[in-house]
């Protein structure tokens, strides 16, 4: 065996055999393989209590998720050639899905590269490593990406808060190529300037692309309010589909400053306004001013980051949706989303319904929304399914 063994306790191999990729620290037989014997990111062979190998992975002795399985069996080494193979498989899906090279190229566990996210903006890649195992293999990942994609630039946007769980610092750096030049995200015929260094997450939210398609046929001639708009993905798309008037609202000054330029670039500058405000405050102000919109889009950041925040988070979703309904015209559309893994789909719809009853409105759920297929769900890893939403019609009772 090439890599040192990480032994599991009796029975703790079952979840891995069912398809999961994570080993929790309490599942490791630390008598046989002390976690202290591993450095963060070390490769290992994950072995059941009988001594039968499950596959190769990497360890982080400092994390609750002590190891992640990267390849079943022992044929593969955790090296550039394995990453190249995974990238080719990931790329072939995206090329089937999309006509242009703008998408999430790698979605971590679901693409067999646990702890790695890569978004593609034409010839610019923005990557995030969220585990020590991936962080230590940045050079191999770069080499593999250069081989498969030949990017002009590769940015490491390693500033996600979850890196702290792996004791990793937050660092944003160029991993390949020369700095400079503008970077754009594309969805269909629309183009959005993004900032791979200072933007949110990887710079763009491709996970909503197909959901924006769903809304497209419902917005012609409508007044649209895009809350938590970021760079205007929903709002500018709605304007391009014929919405008469769009207001985008976000708390980030940098995001709001980019919206006007993005609207201009797509020929809808006159119909899109962008405001910097707190969403809750702004919705209350609109309600007091008796402003009404035909379509209200609510696409907030995750209100529930940890399981223990679930109750409070549910309340926040309910309040937000109630506020959204209060600025809806009679017979309006509410587009409501949540990217909190810890908020079940049914709980989001419950929040909408409770808010509607409180306001004496009737809701018809028309279209269920989910993350785009370049963010595939791993059926054995519930955490890979995170985005849910609904397009609802809201009527007077
Ligand atoms: N709708 C966007 C993605 C939204 S991400 C898209 O489709 O691309 C969440 C956004 O909410 C971020 O841009 C963040 O700046 C903003 N945000 C976070 N808290 C906020 C608040 N309290 N009020 C308004 N915007 C907020």
């Amino acid at each position: 065996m090439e890599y040192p063994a990480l032994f599991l306790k009796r029975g703790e191999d079952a979840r891995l055999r069912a398809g999961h990729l994570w080993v929790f620290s309490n599942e490791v037989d630390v008598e046989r393989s002390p976690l202290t014997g591993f450095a963060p990111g070390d490769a290992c062979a994950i072995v059941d209590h009988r001594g039968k190998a499950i596959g190769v992975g990497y360890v982080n002795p400092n994390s609750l998720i002590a190891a992640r399985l990267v390849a079943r069996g022992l044929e593969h080494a955790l090296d550039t050639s394995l990453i190249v193979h995974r990238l080719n498989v990931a790329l072939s899906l995206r090329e089937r899905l999309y006509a242009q090279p703008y998408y999430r190229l790698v979605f971590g566990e679901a693409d067999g590269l646990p702890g790695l996210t890569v978004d593609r903006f034409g010839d610019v890649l923005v990557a995030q490593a969220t585990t020590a195992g991936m962080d230590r293999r940045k050079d191999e990942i770069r080499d593999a990406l250069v081989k498969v994609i030949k990017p002009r630039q590769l940015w490491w946007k390693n500033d996600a808060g979850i890196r702290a769980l792996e004791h990793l610092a937050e660092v944003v750096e160029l991993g390949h190529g020369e700095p400079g030049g503008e970077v754009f995200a594309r969805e269909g015929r629309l183009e959005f300037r993004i900032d791979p260094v200072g933007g949110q997450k990887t710079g763009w939210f491709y996970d909503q692309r197909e959901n924006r398609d769903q809304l497209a046929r419902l917005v012609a001639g409508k007044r649209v309010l895009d809350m938590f708009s970021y760079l205007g993905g929903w709002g500018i798309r709605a304007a391009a589909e014929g919405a008469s008037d769009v207001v985008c609202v976000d708390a980030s000054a940098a995001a709001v400053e980019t919206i006007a330029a993005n609207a201009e670039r797509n020929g809808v500058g006159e119909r899109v306004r962008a405001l910097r405000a707190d969403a809750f405050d702004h919705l209350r102000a609109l309600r007091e001013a008796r402003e009404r919109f035909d379509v209200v889009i609510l696409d907030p950041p995750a209100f529930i980051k940890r399981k223990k925040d679930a109750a409070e988070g549910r309340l926040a979703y309910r309040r937000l949706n109630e506020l959204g309904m209060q600025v809806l015209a009679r017979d309006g559309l509410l587009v409501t989303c949540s990217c909190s893994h810890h908020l079940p789909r049914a709980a989001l719809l419950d929040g909408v319904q409770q808010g509607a009853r409180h306001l004496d409105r009737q809701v018809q759920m028309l279209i269920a929304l989910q993350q785009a297929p370049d963010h595939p769900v791993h059926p054995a890893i519930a955490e890979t399914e995170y985005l849910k939403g609904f397009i609802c019609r809201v009527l007077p009772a």
Side-chain angles (χ1 to χ4, degrees):
M1 204 177 295
E2 200 183 330
Y3 294 128
L6 184 79
F7 287 99
L8 303 181
K9 294 178 188 162
R10 178 188 295 273
E12 302 293 12
D13 55 316
R15 189 164 18 80
L16 293 179
R17 296 210 193 276
H20 211 293
L21 304 177
W22 297 352
V23 175
F24 290 97
S25 55
N26 64 336
E27 297 166 352
V28 175
D29 185 341
V30 291
E31 316 253 292
R32 288 169 90 184
S33 51
L35 278 166
T36 49
F38 292 93
D42 274 357
C44 68
I46 301 174
V47 178
D48 73 11
H49 80 286
R50 288 186 213 87
K52 191 165 174 349
I54 298 166
V56 299
Y58 58 74
V59 186
N60 188 345
N62 301 322
S63 171
L64 185 65
I65 303 173
R68 297 185 199 225
L69 182 66
V70 185
R72 289 176 193 272
L74 297 178
E75 311 73 274
H76 293 286
L78 296 193
D79 58 9
T80 305
S81 80
L82 177 65
I83 301 167
V84 165
H85 172 64
R86 293 280 192 267
L87 289 177
N88 278 320
V89 175
L91 180 63
S92 79
L93 170 67
R94 279 66 181 183
E95 287 183 335
R96 248 181 283 170
L97 290 168
Y98 303 112
Q100 319 178 83
Y102 295 81
Y103 38 65
R104 175 148 296 187
L105 173 64
V106 175
F107 184 50
E109 273 71 353
D111 282 304
L113 290 168
L116 180 67
T117 299
V118 184
D119 276 357
R120 181 170 189 186
F121 303 95
D123 58 3
V124 175
L125 300 175
V126 182
Q128 291 188 314
T130 54
T131 60
M134 283 298 169
D135 202 65
R136 250 179 66 176
R137 289 172 181 77
K138 279 189 301 202
D139 290 351
E140 289 88 334
I141 295 165
R142 176 205 56 214
D143 292 348
L145 286 167
V146 166
K147 184 157 187 204
V148 175
I149 305 289
K150 301 175 191 68
R152 168 170 72 86
Q153 282 173 353
L154 163 65
W155 290 96
W156 283 107
K157 187 77 173 9
N158 284 334
D159 59 354
I162 42 166
R163 281 171 61 92
L165 300 177
E166 297 259 336
H167 296 203
L168 296 169
E170 298 188 7
V171 206
V172 178
E173 61 191 348
L174 190 63
H176 171 77
E178 299 296 323
E182 293 192 314
V183 183
F184 295 94
R186 275 195 196 176
E187 293 191 9
R189 56 195 171 79
L190 302 185
E191 197 169 65
F192 302 84
R193 186 159 61 79
I194 67 133
D195 177 358
V197 179
Q200 314 242 353
K201 307 280 175 85
T202 58
W204 184 248
F205 294 90
Y206 283 123
D207 54 359
Q208 292 283 18
R209 170 174 24 205
E210 274 78 349
N211 297 334
R212 300 192 241 269
D213 292 345
Q214 295 276 20
L215 185 64
R217 60 178 158 166
L218 296 166
V219 294
K222 304 292 185 196
R223 271 201 97 195
V224 175
L225 177 63
D226 178 6
M227 298 302 294
F228 307 93
S229 63
Y230 188 45
L231 305 180
W234 286 97
I236 290 171
R237 174 72 190 275
E241 300 290 344
S244 59
D245 157 29
V246 176
V247 179
C248 295
V249 179
D250 199 281
S252 152
V256 168
E257 278 165 24
T258 311
I259 294 172
N262 276 337
E264 281 297 330
R265 169 173 287 274
N266 291 291
V268 294
E270 292 105 81
R271 282 180 284 133
V272 177
R273 267 187 302 145
L275 301 169
R276 182 190 182 189
D278 172 77
F280 288 85
D281 291 347
H282 192 69
L283 284 169
R284 280 188 207 101
L286 289 171
R287 181 184 65 191
E288 301 322 318
R290 303 194 172 279
E291 286 249 22
R292 295 295 178 264
F293 295 85
D294 303 305
V295 178
V296 172
I297 300 152
L298 304 173
D299 184 15
F303 290 151
I304 310 174
K305 297 221 164 63
R306 287 156 305 181
K307 213 169 178 176
K308 67 177 179 63
D309 304 328
E312 205 182 313
R314 276 188 196 210
L315 206 60
Y317 283 107
R318 186 199 142 166
R319 280 213 196 94
L320 175 65
N321 280 280
E322 199 169 319
L323 279 168
M325 283 186 262
Q326 287 178 301
V327 300
L328 260 188
R330 288 171 76 89
D331 198 354
L333 291 180
L334 180 73
V335 181
T336 183
C337 305
S338 164
C339 54
S340 300
H341 161 68
H342 296 295
L343 185 79
R345 178 174 282 281
L348 177 62
L349 193 56
D350 263 357
V352 173
Q353 173 61 8
Q354 285 166 13
R357 285 313 308 142
H358 191 225
L359 300 171
D360 204 20
R361 306 277 167 88
Q362 182 203 342
V363 170
Q364 295 176 313
M365 195 275 271
L366 310 180
I367 298 171
L369 307 176
Q370 61 180 33
Q371 66 214 51
D374 53 349
H375 298 61
V377 174
H378 189 310
I381 307 179
E383 288 79 358
T384 60
E385 186 169 17
Y386 66 99
L387 182 64
K388 67 277 304 181
F390 302 99
I391 302 180
C392 296
R393 183 185 188 202
V394 182
L395 296 160

